[in-house]
Amino acid sequence: VPSESAEPACFPKDSPVCRSGKWYSLPGPCPDEQVAGKTPACVAQFPGGACPSAVVTGDKDCTYWAEFAGQISLDELEGIDNY
């Protein structure tokens, strides 16, 4: 959780803005290139930060681990059986 200095205080605490989702941008390979420009040489030089396993070392090429946790449709979330 970011500190108060990294994330501005929110007032009032129960406002929708305070409870809204967060957007994260995780470093991938060749961040300055478009998909077509991500050559093997570029990927070797700028591999991104995705770790190959859940063991996050903190090295420049292993700063985060992400895995699919499932999905839920809006209909399921809101209890809409038939529309």
Side-chain angles (χ1 to χ4, degrees):
V1 176
S3 68
E4 286 282 328
S5 62
E7 187 173 322
C10 197
F11 185 80
K13 291 288 186 189
D14 62 342
S15 79
V17 174
C18 295
R19 296 188 323 262
S20 65
K22 304 292 184 216
W23 185 266
Y24 294 93
S25 180
L26 302 173
C30 300
D32 291 338
E33 297 293 335
Q34 293 184 4
V35 174
K38 295 182 187 250
T39 64
C42 180
V43 173
Q45 186 174 3
F46 304 103
C51 300
S53 73
V55 178
V56 177
T57 64
D59 293 337
K60 70 174 189 158
D61 61 347
C62 182
T63 58
Y64 68 92
W65 167 253
E67 64 182 82
F68 183 71
Q71 63 188 32
I72 185 170
S73 70
L74 291 175
D75 293 344
E76 187 179 358
L77 180 66
E78 291 296 320
I80 300 171
D81 295 327
N82 183 355
Y83 58 92

